[in-house]
Amino acid sequence: MNFESGPRYAGGEKPFELTGGMPPPDDWSEWAPVEGDEPKPRRTSILRWIMRGTGLLIVLLVLAIGWLAVTAPLSRSLQPPTPPSITLTADDGTPIARRGAIIGARVDAAKLPRHVREAFLAIEDRRFYSHWGIDPRGIARAAWSNVGAGGVSQGGSTITQQLAKNAFLNSDRTAARKIREMMIAFWLEAWLTKDEILSRYLSNVYFGDNVYGLTAASKHYFGRTPQNLNIGQAAMLAGLVKAPSRLAPTVNLKGARARQAVVVGAMEAAGFLTHAQAQDVQPQRVLPARSGQLPSGTYFADWVLPAARDHAGEVQSETTVETTLDPRLQRAAERTIRSAGLRQAQAALVAMRPDGRIVAMVGGRDYAKSPFNRATQARRQPGSTFKLFVYLAAMRAGMTPSSTVDDSRVEIAGWSPKNDDGRYLGEITLAQAFARSSNVAAARLTQQLGVRNVIKAARDLGISTPIANEATIGLGTAEVSLLELTAAYAAVAAGRYPVQPRGIEKQDEDGSWLRSLTGGTRTMPDEIRENMLSLLNSSIRGTGREAVLSVKAYGKTGTSQASRDGWFIGFADDLVVGVWVGNDDNSPNPGLHGGTVPARIWRAFMQSALGIAPVAAPVVEEVIDPALLGNEEGSFDGAELEGLGINLRVGPDGGIQIGPSGERDEPRRDEEEDGPPPPDEDEPPN
C-alpha cells in the first residue's frame, strides 16, 4: 500500500507513504503535529554564518596582530631610518672624518611650540588628531586633485602612514605595499597616542642634506633648537618634507622659500594663523654651506670605521669616536708621498707605535681618484722583507748573527735561487747575509730550518695570509699586506707578539678576555730579540743605507720579482713604519728596489716624524796623505792641494771644494777665522 509522503495531520486526511510494508496505524491521532514542530525560520542559519564569519575574522585579526608584532615592532618606529653619523677624531680630538647621516635627538611633540606642530599638520595632515590613521577625505581630495592634474600632484598619506612607510616599509609604489602601510598605520594608532606618533615622525623624517629629524634640521639650517624656531623657519622645514633633496635650502633657497610660502598659506587656511600673522612671515635665511666640511672617507677612516661602529655600539644619534691617528704625523706622511716623485707608480705608508696604535696611514697617492687602500687591502709579494721570519726561525733554533751560512749557488728541488747582485761570497755570517740580503743564504736557511718553522714564525708575528709550504717563501713569494707586515716588525720593536694593529685607543674588554684564553700576546726572549735587532741594524747599513738616520734605526729592504714591488719596513725610537711602492696592475718597475725609493720615503718621513736632522755627509778618511797637504800638523783644517790643473781645499768641517788651479775664490773672513756659521737653532728640522 502506497501513501504520499508528507507530514501527518490530525484526522488522517493527509496520506503518507510507509516503507517496509508496514500497515498504517489504527490511530491516526498519534501522528498529529506537536506544538513547536513547525519548520525553523531562516534567520537561524544566517546567525550561524555570522558567528562563523566573526570567528574567522577573530582568527585573522590574531594572525595579523602576530604578523605586525613580528614584522613591525613598535620599537622600530623609534630607530633612525638610516645609519647614524659617526664623527672620527684624531688622538687630540680634531675631527678627521664623518660617516653616515646626521640624526638629531628625539623631539617631544607635546613640548614643541604650537606653530611648529601646526606647520607640519597644515601641509601634511590637517585632520591628524581626528582620524584613525587613514583619512578617507584626504584620499578622496588627493585623488580628485590628481585626476584634474592628469598625474600625481598630491598624496593622501597621513602622518601615521608616512611613519609606517619610513620606519617599516620601502618606497615601492605597489598596492601590496599600500595595504601593508594601512595595516601598520592602524596598528600604530591602536598602541600609540597621537603625540607619540607625531613625535616619532618628526624625529625621523628626512630634511635633505643627509639630515634626519627636526632637531638636526633646525641646527643644520638655522643654528637653533626646534623650541626656538619662528613661524617662517618652521614653515620652511615643514615644506622640505615633500622633496627634501630638491628643496634643501643650502642648494635651492629659492625653491625652499616658495615652498615656505605654500605652507604659510596652508596654515592660514587651516585656521592656525590669522591673515595678518601670515602676512608678517618673511622669507627665511639659512646658514651658509660650511666650507671645509669633514670628508666622508679617507684611507684611515675607511679602515677604522667598522671598529669605530663596534666601539660605539648601537647609536641612536650622532656620536664621536676618538682614534689613534696623529694629525701631525698624518700630514707628514701625506706630504712625503706627494713629494716622492713617483710618476705613475703608487705608494702606501703605515706608521704605528710598537703596541699597534696606528698614527698615520696613506693608502695611495690620491684618495679622491682611487679610494682603494693599498696599505690594508692590497696583497703583494714582500720580497726580502719576509726574511725577517727566516732569521727569526734561525734565532729560535739557537743560531746567532755570528753563525755562518754558505752563500754559494744551490739547487733545491729544481729551484736555483740567485743573488740580486750576482755575487756569491761563500761562507759568511748571518749578519753579513742579512745585511746584503742574500737570497741563496735565505733559501739554504729555510731548507735547513724547515719550511714549517719559518711559517710558524710568520704566523706568530701576525701574518694571516696564505703561505705555501715550499722553500721559495724565504724569498718572499707569499703575498701579504703592508699593514700586517709592518705589525710583524712592530713585534720585534715591542718584544711582544703578535701586535694587533688598531685605530681605536680603547680595546674591547671581551676581546681581550677571549685573546687571553687563546694565548694572548707572548714575550719574545731577550736574547732572540737582541739578535734580531742586531740583524735589522746591520741591514740599515747594508742594502738599506739610503734609510740611514742620525739616530739608531732598524729595518729591512724588499724587492719582488721583476721589481714589481719595492718595500722598506723599519723602526726607530717608538715609531714603526712600512713603505710600499709599485703599480696597481702589478707590472714591473725597472730600477725599483727596496733600497731606493721606498728607503728614501721611509727616511724622509722618519726625519720629519722624529724631528731629527739628516745624516751628515760621510767624511772621506785616508784618501789623501795629510803630509801632502802642506799642513804642519797634518790636519785638514784649511788645507789646500794644487796639481794636475786643479785646486782642492778641505775645510775644517770636512767639506771638499774643487776648482781650477789658481782660480779659487778667496775665503770670506768669517770662514777663515771662525769656520762656517753655525746653523740657526730656531730653524725647524727638515
Side-chain angles (χ1 to χ4, degrees), residues 51 118 128 137 236 254 323 378 389 391 450 530 539 559 577:
M51 293 179 63
E118 291 169 349
F128 172 71
R137 290 175 57 187
M236 180 174 283
K254 181 179 179 181
T323 70
F389 309 115
Y391 284 79
E530 290 300 323
S539 179
T559 309
V577 178

Side-chain angles (χ1 to χ4, degrees), residues 46-245:
I46 295 175
L47 181 62
R48 183 181 298 115
W49 280 108
I50 292 176
M51 293 179 63
R52 289 174 180 174
T54 302
L56 180 61
L57 288 176
I58 292 174
V59 172
L60 292 176
L61 179 62
V62 171
L63 292 176
I65 292 174
W67 176 76
L68 289 170
V70 173
T71 61
L74 294 176
S75 60
R76 189 183 299 178
S77 63
L78 290 172
Q79 297 176 357
T82 189
S85 171
I86 287 186
T87 299
L88 303 177
T89 69
D91 61 356
D92 63 354
T94 304
I96 57 175
R98 177 180 288 121
R99 181 69 63 83
I102 302 174
I103 300 176
R106 298 170 185 167
V107 298
D108 185 349
K111 297 180 180 179
L112 291 174
R114 285 186 56 186
H115 64 267
V116 175
R117 295 195 306 269
E118 291 169 349
F120 288 89
L121 297 180
I123 197 66
E124 292 295 326
D125 191 357
R126 201 171 295 180
R127 283 174 290 278
F128 172 71
Y129 282 100
S130 61
H131 62 63
W132 282 28
I134 304 297
D135 184 8
R137 290 175 57 187
I139 295 175
R141 173 182 51 79
W144 178 259
S145 176
N146 293 338
V147 169
V152 179
S153 63
Q154 290 188 16
S157 295
T158 64
I159 283 178
T160 310
Q161 288 177 272
Q162 292 182 51
L163 176 61
K165 179 181 68 175
N166 294 339
F168 304 101
L169 303 171
N170 55 33
S171 57
D172 292 343
R173 294 191 175 187
T174 61
R177 200 272 297 167
K178 200 67 177 178
I179 292 173
R180 292 197 301 271
E181 178 186 297
M182 292 182 179
M183 291 179 64
I184 296 174
F186 285 131
W187 168 256
L188 294 174
E189 292 278 352
W191 290 98
L192 299 175
T193 67
K194 286 290 186 177
D195 282 344
E196 287 175 333
I197 292 174
L198 184 58
S199 298
R200 299 185 185 202
Y201 168 78
L202 293 176
S203 296
N204 290 338
V205 69
Y206 183 50
F207 289 95
D209 265 11
N210 208 26
V211 174
Y212 290 79
L214 182 61
T215 301
S218 301
K219 180 180 179 181
H220 180 72
Y221 292 120
F222 303 113
R224 57 181 63 189
T225 64
Q227 287 74 17
N228 295 322
L229 293 173
N230 60 38
I231 295 175
Q233 292 167 340
M236 180 174 283
L237 291 179
L240 299 182
V241 175
K242 177 181 180 181
S245 298

